[in-house]
Amino acid sequence: MARVVVDVMPKAEILDPQGQAIVGALGRLGFAGVADVRQGKRFEVEIDDSVSDADLERIAEEVLTNTVIENFSVSRVAE
Amino acid sequence: MARVVVDVMPKAEILDPQGQAIVGALGRLGFAGVADVRQGKRFEVEIDDSVSDADLERIAEEVLTNTVIENFSVSRVAE
C-alpha cells in the first residue's frame, strides 16, 4: 500500500469565484493582509503497490482533473 | 508577500461520499488497485508579510475549515 496526494488547482487564467468570496469574507471579518486566495481540491489516494506511476498520472489527468480549467500535481507520500 | 497552503480534509471518522464515488468510478473505468480516495480542499493563500502565524492559524481554523467534520494543516511555501 502506498499513499499518494493529487492536488488539483484552477489554472492561473481561470477566475476563481470561491477564492474571491473568501478574500471578501476575510476582509469583512477583520483579517487584513490577505491578497489572494485560490481554492482547489486535494485527493488522498491509497493504492496497491501494483499501480504504476503511469497509471497514477492517468487517474489524476483523466478522472480527477478537468484539464480544460485545472492543473494537477501528483506526489507519493513517504510511508 | 508570502504564499501559504492550507489543506482541509474530512476527519477520518467522517464518511466521504465524494471519495467513495471516485473509487467506484475508477473501478468501472478499469483502473485497478485503488483502495481508497478521500477528497478535501486545498487553499493557496497570498499574504502580506504582516500576517502572523497566529493570524494564519485563525484564518484556517475559523474561516476555511468546518472543525466539526474537517481537519486542517497550514504550511508556508518557500519562495
Side-chain angles (χ1 to χ4, degrees), chain A residues 1 7 9 22 26 31-48 51 59 63, chain B residues 1 7 9 22 26 31-48 51 59 63:
Chain A
M1 279 292 182
D7 290 317
M9 295 300 296
I22 293 166
L26 288 171
F31 292 104
V34 177
D36 192 34
V37 176
R38 306 279 289 171
Q39 178 171 351
K41 286 172 277 188
R42 174 186 170 93
F43 299 94
E44 293 182 356
V45 183
E46 302 277 342
I47 56 171
D48 297 339
V51 178
I59 289 170
V63 182
Chain B
M1 279 294 181
D7 288 318
M9 295 300 296
I22 293 167
L26 289 171
F31 293 103
V34 176
D36 192 33
V37 176
R38 305 280 289 171
Q39 178 171 350
K41 286 173 277 189
R42 173 187 170 92
F43 298 95
E44 294 183 354
V45 184
E46 300 278 341
I47 55 171
D48 298 338
V51 178
I59 289 170
V63 182

